[in-house]
């Protein structure tokens, strides 16, 4: 017999009863097997174990498991050939036209030797040709591999060689961004006249559901990116689930970069479900104001958008007092969802629009979902990640791969129809992350996510962070080990440690701590940033570089990341000396930049991106510029002229033009001719 005394402020009675039942089960196990290691003894009573392993994972549903992705699209072509398939500004393609173009390119790819499992690189700007290419590759039997033209050439070269890509589809203006490689290059604009001669008939299907549909590279902890291979069968389950959880034939915005698996969900759940796909230019994707305009004018009904971009969109809707009333479903993912006041206000004004919180790593695409609807003011600030979707299973396990009790933290393991095949040409990492299913004897596997979570009593999962060094930043998956490995390739760097720290505004930033090699002068932030830019994408470049004499260590001799010194966000070490603003425009810009960048001290010659700025923060800067000066300045202006002084000149010229004054350069020339050599301020 026993008695349990507990604080009712911390626990309720059902929780205590569960704990007592766990303790009783453990004691019974000890009595039965007194020589067994304690971690191998049972903790869960049979009913709770069955609930966790079986009942909450009873997700089996029928789906067309014998079909491939492009065959779902073909069904829609047969069903509604004249329906709108793709819309891009003034260009329209119906399902028949899209299918015929894809068929011609597919025949061309077949002639170039494309067979099932062939990897085809795709480096294209956002356009109908990009959609044609993805469908054509699948029809030809290949797997598509997105290549972001903004990536460093060294990284692109590695991806092409590592994947063994035989063909790359691109455009004439992007050819120079391709590294030297052996793949055959097809330019869809310059070579289309020849492709146009190919047959418009559907090519014979040579693909099986077990063949690869796409190959997408993610950050790798060893210093090299690794490619996730997703077969058709898993992708078809995803399309089928999305069709079941959305209204029919929705007009969907294609927002995500093709380099992210969400783009597959956007494109093929739309075209496989008979909907219409709305494309937008890359600069519009980065500009919250322009994004809001496109959604409104094109009557977009469904939107897949990362959490951070959703926040910017909600803030812009607040500023513009514009409601994209056509939206019926918003789907977000990428990192922990936070219901901010701006997001709550947006959904209060979007009558009947639901918010779906999706969770799933690239290795499984989507695994769980939680739908928020009704009064947004009643939504929790940090929504949970939901329950497993159709034909997926999710387990919260301990280090012995045994289920942990309800309410107890453990590591998430995912199984089911959408499990990737593994990492391309990486048997070691594949075996490490894709482990044998401990509760199945059919040769199934589970993906070990590294994410921490726990089950609530209602069977809904709550996300609780990572157990390793992987982080999510602005929706991007980042292995800090990859950044550290590249930093240590610099001759002047002896050791490097990278971590995520919140700035004064509460935004997550990458910070690199460096121990310099004694044979070299300490590296500057500018040198380190330049070194990384040649090898890593923009979102993996730390905002701050701090030099240390030594790293704090744990008792086991590892870097104690929690003991690393706090980052000073006042002013990063820059090549340019601080220069105070010289006129009203520069003063206003310095104030805007400092506020957006979280309190950084900003000088006139400082580069926005070297101060820790990035593309999403750039959209905030330009929105504030429009408010402050009442003029339209394109977002690309900040990328082209990224210092306060340069952007101030652009603003002054625009203000003068709208005021009917001659351009500043002409006024300066006239002043010099007249002997007036005093500098002209903005006020003058």
């Amino acid at each position: 017999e026993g008695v349990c005394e507990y604080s009712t402020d911390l626990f309720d009675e059902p929780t205590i009863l569960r704990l007592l039942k766990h303790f009783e089960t453990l004691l019974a196990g000890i009595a039965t097997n007194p020589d067994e290691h304690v971690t191998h003894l049972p903790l869960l009573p049979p009913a709770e174990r069955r609930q966790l392993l079986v009942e909450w994972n009873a997700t089996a549903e029928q789906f067309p498991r014998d079909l491939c992705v492009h065959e779902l699209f073909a069904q829609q072509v047969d069903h509604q050939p004249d329906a709108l398939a793709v819309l891009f500004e003034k260009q329209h393609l119906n399902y028949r036209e899209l299918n015929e173009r894809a068929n011609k390119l597919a025949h061309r790819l077949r002639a170039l030797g494309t067979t099932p499992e062939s990897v085809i690189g795709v480096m294209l700007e956002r356009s109908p040709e990009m959609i044609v290419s993805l469908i054509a590759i699948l029809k030809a039997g290949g797997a598509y591999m997105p290549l972001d033209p903004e990536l460093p050439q060294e990284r692109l070269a590695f991806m092409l060689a590592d994947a063994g890509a035989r063909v790359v589809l691109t455009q004439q203006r992007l050819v120079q961004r391709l590294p030297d490689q052996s793949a055959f290059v097809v330019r869809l604009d310059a070579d289309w006249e020849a492709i146009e001669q190919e047959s418009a008939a559907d090519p014979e299907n040579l693909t099986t559901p077990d063949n690869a549909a796409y190959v997408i590279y993610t950050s790798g902890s060893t210093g090299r990116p690794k490619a996730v291979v997703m077969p058709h069968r898993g992708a078809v389950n995803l399309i089928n689930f999305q069709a079941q959880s959305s209204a029919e034939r929705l007009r969907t915005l294609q927002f995500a970069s093709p380099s992210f698996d969400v783009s597959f969900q956007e494109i093929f759940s739309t075209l496989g479900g008979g909907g219409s796909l709305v494309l937008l230019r890359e600069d519009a994707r980065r500009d919250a104001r322009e994004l809001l305009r496109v959604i409104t004018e094109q009557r977009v009904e469904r939107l897949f958008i990362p959490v951070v971009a959703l926040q910017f969109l909600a803030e812009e809707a607040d500023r513009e007092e514009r409601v994209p009333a056509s939206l019926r479903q918003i789907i977000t993912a990428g990192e922990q969802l936070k219901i901010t006041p701006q997001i709550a206000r947006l959904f209060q004004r979007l009558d009947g629009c639901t918010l779906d919180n999706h969770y799933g790593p690239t290795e499984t695409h989507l695994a769980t979902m939680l739908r928020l609807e009704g009064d947004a003011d009643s939504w929790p600030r940090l929504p949970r990640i939901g329950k497993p979707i159709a034909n997926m299973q999710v387990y919260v396990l301990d280090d012995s791969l045994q289920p942990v009790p309800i309410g107890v933290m453990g590591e998430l393991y995912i199984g089911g129809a959408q499990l990737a095949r593994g990492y391309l040409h990486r048997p070691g990492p594949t075996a490490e992350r894709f482990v044998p299913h401990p509760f199945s004897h059919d040769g199934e596997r589970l993906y070990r996510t590294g994410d921490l979570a726990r089950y609530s009593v209602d069977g809904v999962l709550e996300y609780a962070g990572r157990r390793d060094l992987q982080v999510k930043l602005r929706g991007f998956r980042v292995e800090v080990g990859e950044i550290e490995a590249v930093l240590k390739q610099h001759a002047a760097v002896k050791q490097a440690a990278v971590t995520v720290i919140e700035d004064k505004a509460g935004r997550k930033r990458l910070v690199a701590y460096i121990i310099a090699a004694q044979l070299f002068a300490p590296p500057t932030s500018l040198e380190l940033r330049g070194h990384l830019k040649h090898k890593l994408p923009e979102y993996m470049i730390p905002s701050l570089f701090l030099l240390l004499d030594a790293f704090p260590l744990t008792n086991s001799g590892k870097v104690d990341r929690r003991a690393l010194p706090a980052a000073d966000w006042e002013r990063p070490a820059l090549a340019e000396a601080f220069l105070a603003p010289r006129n009203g425009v520069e003063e206003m810009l310095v104030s805007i930049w400092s506020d957006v960048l979280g309190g950084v001290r900003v000088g006139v010659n400082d580069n926005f991106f070297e101060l820790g700025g990035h593309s999403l923060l750039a959209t905030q800067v330009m929105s504030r510029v429009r408010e402050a000066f009442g003029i339209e300045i394109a977002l690309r202006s900040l990328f082209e002229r990224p210092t306060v002084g340069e952007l101030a000149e652009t603003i002054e010229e625009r203000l003068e033009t709208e005021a009917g004054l001659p351009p500043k350069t002409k006024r300066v020339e006239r002043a010099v001719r007249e002997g007036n050599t005093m500098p002209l301020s903005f006020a003058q």
Side-chain angles (χ1 to χ4, degrees), residues 163-410:
R166 303 183 60 178
V167 178
V168 174
L169 304 182
T170 188
Q171 293 153 309
Q172 181 63 43
R173 57 185 170 277
L174 296 179
V175 169
Q176 70 274 15
R177 299 191 187 183
L178 281 171
D180 293 335
Q181 39 83 38
S182 59
F184 187 85
V185 176
V186 177
R187 302 163 300 171
L188 292 187
D189 43 9
D191 299 335
W192 187 256
E193 187 175 343
I195 298 170
E196 186 72 38
Q197 308 306 312
E198 299 283 354
S199 170
D202 291 327
E204 179 188 359
N205 182 42
L206 304 178
T207 315
T208 73
D210 292 323
N211 288 132
Y214 63 75
V215 170
I216 289 181
Y217 276 82
T218 68
S219 181
S221 59
T222 61
R224 296 191 304 170
K226 55 185 184 292
V228 175
V229 183
M230 180 62 70
H232 279 264
R233 182 174 287 113
V236 167
N237 183 72
L238 175 67
I239 295 170
N240 191 69
F241 165 76
Q242 194 63 63
Q244 299 299 322
S245 65
S246 299
E248 289 187 359
R249 297 180 174 82
L250 289 180
R251 181 174 284 211
T252 302
L253 187 72
Q254 204 282 291
F255 178 87
S257 164
S259 297
F260 294 93
D261 55 347
V262 175
S263 64
F264 175 90
Q265 193 174 354
E266 290 174 325
I267 295 167
F268 289 101
S269 70
T270 301
L271 297 179
S276 301
L277 199 63
V278 178
L279 308 183
L280 75 167
R281 302 186 315 276
E282 184 63 29
D283 58 346
R285 175 177 172 267
R286 295 178 176 179
D287 188 333
R289 188 166 187 255
E290 185 66 9
L291 177 62
L292 185 61
R293 182 194 66 79
V294 171
I295 292 171
T296 303
E297 292 184 0
Q298 299 299 341
R299 305 185 309 282
V300 171
E301 297 168 301
R302 183 172 62 178
L303 175 64
F304 294 78
I305 190 168
V307 174
V308 65
L310 174 61
Q311 176 63 27
F312 288 157
L313 183 67
E315 291 173 1
E316 189 64 29
D318 254 7
R319 280 191 292 268
E320 293 285 315
E321 297 184 350
R322 181 190 297 182
V323 180
S326 59
L327 282 172
R328 300 168 61 186
Q329 183 181 25
I330 296 179
I331 298 164
T332 191
E335 56 189 296
Q336 172 69 61
L337 172 60
K338 296 180 181 179
I339 303 300
T340 63
Q342 296 89 347
I343 290 176
R345 282 196 295 272
L346 174 64
F347 279 89
Q348 288 286 19
R349 293 182 289 175
L350 289 173
D351 185 32
C353 182
T354 60
L355 176 59
D356 290 354
N357 189 25
H358 281 189
Y359 163 81
T362 306
E363 287 82 352
T364 67
H365 204 117
L366 175 60
T368 68
M369 184 190 85
L370 177 74
R371 173 161 292 176
L372 298 168
E373 48 193 344
D375 183 7
D377 285 339
S378 67
W379 295 352
R381 182 176 178 272
L382 297 175
R384 294 175 291 174
I385 59 174
K387 298 182 178 182
I389 68 166
N391 301 305
M392 296 296 287
Q393 294 84 48
V394 178
Y395 306 93
V396 183
L397 307 179
D398 62 19
D399 290 340
S400 299
L401 297 186
Q402 291 302 307
V404 299
I406 294 170
V408 175
M409 205 72 68

Side-chain angles (χ1 to χ4, degrees), residues 577-651:
F578 177 80
L579 178 63
R582 300 161 296 188
N583 58 46
V585 175
E586 290 180 351
E587 286 179 2
M588 179 61 74
L589 281 180
V590 163
S591 175
I592 291 172
W593 284 25
S594 179
D595 190 36
V596 169
L597 292 170
V600 174
R601 185 167 177 244
V602 180
V604 169
N605 294 326
D606 293 345
N607 186 301
F608 177 76
F609 302 99
E610 292 178 4
L611 286 170
H614 51 73
S615 56
L616 286 174
L617 290 180
T619 67
Q620 285 194 318
V621 166
M622 301 315 287
S623 292
R624 299 277 291 275
V625 165
R626 281 192 291 263
E627 288 181 3
F629 299 102
I631 57 174
E632 290 292 332
I633 300 289
L635 178 64
R636 64 177 179 273
S637 299
L638 183 54
F639 289 87
E640 295 168 352
R641 313 198 73 187
T643 70
V644 167
E646 291 171 331
L647 189 60
E649 289 181 359
T650 299
I651 293 170

Side-chain angles (χ1 to χ4, degrees), residues 391-395 413-419 437 445-447:
N391 301 305
M392 296 296 287
Q393 294 84 48
V394 178
Y395 306 93
Y413 286 74
I414 303 173
Q418 284 169 211
L419 211 59
H437 197 314
R445 301 171 304 154
L446 295 180
Y447 173 67

Side-chain angles (χ1 to χ4, degrees), residues 76-154:
Q76 296 300 326
V77 175
D78 292 339
H79 180 61
Q80 49 172 22
D82 297 320
L84 177 64
V86 175
L87 169 65
F88 180 60
E89 297 178 337
K90 295 183 180 180
Q91 301 179 58
H92 303 74
L93 288 178
N94 62 31
Y95 274 81
R96 181 193 301 106
E97 293 166 335
L98 179 59
N99 187 56
E100 289 177 352
R101 290 194 187 188
N103 286 343
K104 291 181 178 183
L105 182 55
H107 284 294
R108 176 64 171 154
L109 291 173
R110 283 270 177 90
L112 292 173
T114 301
T115 59
E117 301 301 317
S118 296
V119 176
I120 309 297
V122 179
M123 181 189 279
L124 294 166
E125 294 177 345
R126 292 169 173 271
S127 61
E129 287 72 30
M130 182 183 76
I131 308 302
V132 168
S133 297
L134 300 185
I135 298 173
I137 291 169
L138 299 182
K139 281 174 169 279
Y144 72 81
M145 178 180 67
L147 299 169
D148 187 342
E150 298 300 322
L151 287 176
Q153 286 208 336
E154 185 173 326

Side-chain angles (χ1 to χ4, degrees), residues 41-52:
L41 289 168
L43 188 64
L44 298 177
E48 186 175 345
R49 183 179 176 88
R50 176 176 175 79
Q51 186 179 49
L52 288 165

